[in-house]
Amino acid sequence: MNNFKVSVIIPVYNCAEYIGATLKSVINQDFDDYEIIVIDDGSTDNSLEIINETLRDCEVHNNIIHQENAGVSVARNRGIDVSSGQYLVFVDADDYILENHLLELYNPDYDFSLVQFAKKEGDSISVPNNFGFTEISTGQFIKKELNMEILFNFFQLSYKADIIKKNNVRFTPGVVYGEDIEFALKALSCSDKIHVTNEVTYYYVQRSDSAIKTTEFRRFDIISIFEGLADFYKSKDKNDLASLIIHSRIPKAIFGNMNYFFYGGYDFEEVIGEMKKRDLFSKLKKYEGPDKKFKLKLRLFLLNPKLYYKMWFRFKNSID
């Protein structure tokens, strides 16, 4: 039984420097009838102490869970399992939300609602996205993501809890990169429509020591995540979405991450060796999307990877 309108789920691991401010932004909402669920995933700093201190006199109902370190996916899944809200909202421990975040996300006429976010890196804040529509079918939205026509993160959404729980949609344990988008794209396929607002209420703070920046070639793990998602869509008779993943999203994810490593100064032979080990060249060849510019770059790379790299490196140095 749903006792609250919204459950806010916050996984925490060694975020003592940020978690106090994050929790205060969640506490100070212009919204009633919500709960805060914090899962401390075996922090070795004083995160748990700060969590307890910040929430001790909090008037918002809260549930603090401490578990042995098992990863962010397990922590979020624990939050889902103990939640009692009509809707689920996720906030990362080093991000923050504005006072109207839950107000914008709560809409009982829809199974999913979406707000916009801005990325904050140091003193720089990205220009927020604007989708230009207030409602969209989940099928159309998923296709736009798979075609990489929109910039989207899982934390932008509120998820109807009954849909998540009845369909057993969960985060995949042990995955560092891509488990969040997998969760969102699975969840969205279980319903019909999304309500969209262009109000920016979530601030995603990019840290230099974040998990994504320290996982090296594990960024390529997202390929297996998308392959699993394609199998999931096939099992739901959504073969058009499965085909989009295999013939568009996966090749673009491989190519984008490859260029990420090149830009980060990774050795060319190491990157190519890793791609061969993971059999990524055969998956690149499956691209059948409409992007002519991408097709040209992909053809050049597959014809002569070293030549592509030299041309890419020369262009990179000309704009740095």
Side-chain angles (χ1 to χ4, degrees), residues 53-185:
E53 182 179 335
T54 306
L55 296 179
R56 182 172 292 120
D57 299 319
C58 175
E59 294 183 1
V60 180
H61 184 273
N62 59 85
N63 185 1
I64 302 170
I65 299 169
H66 177 73
Q67 66 180 31
E68 295 298 314
N69 181 248
V72 67
S73 290
V74 173
R76 288 183 183 134
N77 289 340
R78 184 86 178 272
I80 293 171
D81 291 339
V82 303
S83 66
S84 57
Q86 296 172 16
Y87 289 86
L88 307 177
V89 170
F90 297 92
V91 177
D92 282 348
D94 53 358
D95 297 338
Y96 63 92
I97 57 178
L98 300 187
E99 292 88 348
N100 59 335
H101 185 63
L102 298 185
L103 193 62
E104 292 290 339
L105 279 176
Y106 181 73
N107 190 326
D109 293 329
Y110 293 83
D111 293 334
F112 303 95
S113 291
L114 181 143
V115 295
Q116 305 305 332
F117 78 100
K119 186 166 101 171
K120 188 175 186 297
E121 190 163 9
D123 294 328
S124 174
I125 297 179
S126 67
V127 177
N129 199 21
N130 189 315
F131 286 163
F133 47 79
T134 58
E135 180 182 289
I136 186 171
S137 73
T138 54
Q140 284 180 300
F141 188 86
I142 292 170
K143 286 177 181 178
K144 283 181 177 292
E145 200 290 329
L146 295 179
N147 282 318
M148 300 184 75
E149 296 173 9
I150 57 173
L151 178 64
F152 163 68
N153 257 294
F154 87 107
F155 52 67
Q156 291 175 252
L157 283 166
S158 62
Y159 305 79
K160 192 166 187 178
D162 285 349
I163 287 177
I164 300 303
K165 294 177 180 180
K166 286 178 181 177
N167 290 281
N168 197 30
V169 179
R170 295 294 187 273
F171 294 88
T172 302
V175 178
V176 175
Y177 189 71
E179 83 294 338
D180 45 8
I181 194 66
E182 176 196 30
F183 175 86
L185 293 179

